[in-house]
């Protein structure tokens, strides 16, 4: 794993923040990955101060946390947090789907179709990050049709906090015999949007998020039983041994 070098004079905290956040979103820095300040500063070619500030911002965004004897790490995973995050997602995204399907225009449905087609191609290629990116792009188009930008931006912030969980679910399902959970709900959402059926869109989104929660929960249990996680978490512990998104021990660099 490597981060892009930053060139003078653009050694700003927001650039360091963006570089680390991108690595987290891409799964290059999985849950539990230690954010060693000097190592990160060397990778991006800056002093330690912008890195310290970037890590503080990552903590505020819910993407990193402090762990005793480890320092800052990418936020670990836990069953309770999983339930809390996805319960809130359902509250907002079911309504966003309902409002979006009610008002979406045909041209935007066509854009959703393009993202869906690219998502299916990524599924066939077993590219988990691309699957998630195109899925989120498809949903963003639908949600933006609600006409409520605050709702959309709040959902997108939740997606960032959920990213490590989403990577766990996507990677596990891509290796399973049945990959339909990765595309079947989106196909139904497309149909609901195309026919402007808000009730169907809301119902499908609710089922999709419940299904995702169950798949991720089951995979975390499987990986924990296989001994692929180690105790992490202090005050943010949820009682489940955290699991690295790629199955590596959390102490791995």
């Amino acid at each position: 794993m490597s981060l892009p070098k930053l060139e003078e004079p653009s050694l700003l905290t927001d650039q360091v923040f963006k570089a680390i956040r991108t690595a987290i979103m891409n799964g290059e820095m999985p849950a539990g990955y230690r954010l060693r300040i000097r190592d990160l500063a060397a990778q991006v070619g800056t002093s330690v101060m912008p890195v310290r500030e970037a890590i503080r911002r990552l903590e505020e965004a819910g993407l990193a946390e402090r762990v005793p004897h480890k320092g800052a790490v990418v936020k670990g995973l836990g069953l309770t947090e999983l339930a809390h995050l996805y319960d809130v997602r359902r509250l907002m995204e079911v309504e966003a789907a309902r409002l979006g399907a009610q008002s979406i225009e045909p041209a935007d449905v066509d854009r959703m179709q393009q993202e869906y087609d690219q998502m299916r191609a990524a599924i066939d290629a077993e590219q988990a990050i691309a699957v998630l990116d195109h899925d989120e792009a498809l949903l963003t188009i639908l949600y933006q049709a609600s006409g409520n930008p605050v709702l959309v931006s709040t959902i997108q912030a939740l997606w960032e906090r959920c990213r490590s969980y989403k990577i766990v679910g996507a990677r596990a399902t891509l290796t399973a015999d049945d990959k339909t959970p990765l595309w079947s709900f989106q196909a139904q959402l497309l149909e609901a949007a195309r026919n402007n059926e808000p009730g169907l869109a809301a119902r499908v989104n609710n089922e999709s998020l419940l299904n995702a929660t169950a798949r991720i929960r089951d995979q975390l249990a499987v990986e924990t039983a296989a001994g692929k996680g180690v105790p992490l978490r202090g005050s943010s512990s949820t009682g489940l041994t955290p699991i690295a998104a790629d199955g590596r021990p959390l102490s791995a660099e």
Side-chain angles (χ1 to χ4, degrees), residues 15 52 107 119 121 152 154 156 180 185 188 195 201 213 232 237:
Q15 290 182 292
R52 289 185 191 277
M119 185 189 70
V152 177
T154 303
Q156 289 174 328
T180 57
F185 296 107
Q188 295 176 69
N195 296 321
T213 305
L232 189 59
S237 177

Side-chain angles (χ1 to χ4, degrees), residues 90-100 146 151 202 205:
R90 282 197 301 125
L91 286 172
M92 290 191 292
E93 293 188 51
V94 167
E95 180 65 4
R98 184 184 70 80
L99 293 172
S146 70
L151 179 61
N205 234 23

Side-chain angles (χ1 to χ4, degrees), residues 6-252:
L6 301 180
E7 298 180 359
E8 295 282 2
S10 303
L11 305 180
L12 303 175
T13 297
D14 58 346
Q15 290 182 292
V16 179
F17 172 83
K18 182 178 179 181
I20 300 174
R21 182 181 62 185
T22 297
I24 295 172
M25 295 299 106
N26 288 342
E28 295 175 19
M29 291 182 175
Y33 188 97
R34 293 181 67 180
L35 300 171
R36 290 188 165 126
I37 293 174
R38 293 189 181 281
D39 290 349
L40 294 172
Q43 287 186 57
V44 298
T46 186
S47 67
V48 298
M49 292 307 295
V51 177
R52 289 185 191 277
E53 178 61 19
I55 290 174
R56 185 189 65 78
R57 287 174 54 184
L58 289 164
E59 292 172 350
E60 291 177 348
L63 298 178
E65 62 183 345
R66 296 280 170 176
V67 175
H69 312 300
K70 287 183 178 289
V73 302
V74 176
K75 189 75 177 287
L77 307 182
L79 289 179
T80 301
E81 182 183 58
L82 169 67
H84 289 168
L85 286 170
Y86 276 75
D87 281 349
V88 175
R89 283 189 61 192
R90 282 197 301 125
L91 286 172
M92 290 191 292
E93 293 188 51
V94 167
E95 180 65 4
R98 184 184 70 80
L99 293 172
Q102 182 174 287
S103 305
I104 195 166
E105 298 291 336
D108 290 327
V109 176
D110 290 341
R111 290 171 56 217
M112 286 180 65
Q113 181 69 57
Q114 292 173 6
E115 295 294 342
Y116 175 80
D117 292 341
Q118 292 179 74
M119 185 189 70
R120 288 298 302 267
I123 292 171
D124 292 340
E126 297 187 351
Q127 298 172 339
I129 303 303
V131 171
L132 296 176
D133 288 345
H134 289 300
D135 176 44
E136 290 179 0
L138 179 154
L139 292 173
T140 296
I141 295 167
L142 176 62
Y143 297 167
Q144 285 175 336
S146 70
N148 188 331
V150 175
L151 179 61
V152 177
S153 63
T154 303
I155 289 170
Q156 289 174 328
L158 268 176
W159 285 346
E160 287 203 356
R161 289 194 62 175
C162 287
R163 187 67 166 196
S164 292
Y165 291 100
K166 296 173 78 171
I167 291 172
V168 167
R171 286 179 173 168
T173 307
L174 283 174
T175 61
D177 292 335
D178 182 13
K179 298 180 178 61
T180 57
L182 291 176
W183 59 264
S184 60
F185 296 107
Q186 288 81 352
Q188 295 176 69
L189 272 180
L190 257 174
E191 188 68 16
R194 199 175 303 280
N195 296 321
N196 293 117
E197 297 184 70
L200 176 59
R203 184 168 65 254
V204 169
N205 234 23
N206 186 61
E207 293 173 356
S208 174
L209 287 164
L210 286 173
N211 178 275
T213 305
R215 285 187 290 111
I216 296 167
R217 183 187 62 233
D218 291 347
Q219 183 61 22
L220 289 177
V222 167
E223 295 189 8
T224 300
K228 294 182 179 179
V230 298
L232 189 59
R233 296 256 180 102
S235 60
S236 59
S237 177
T238 57
L240 174 72
T241 299
I243 306 297
D246 65 352
R248 292 183 299 169
L250 294 178
S251 59

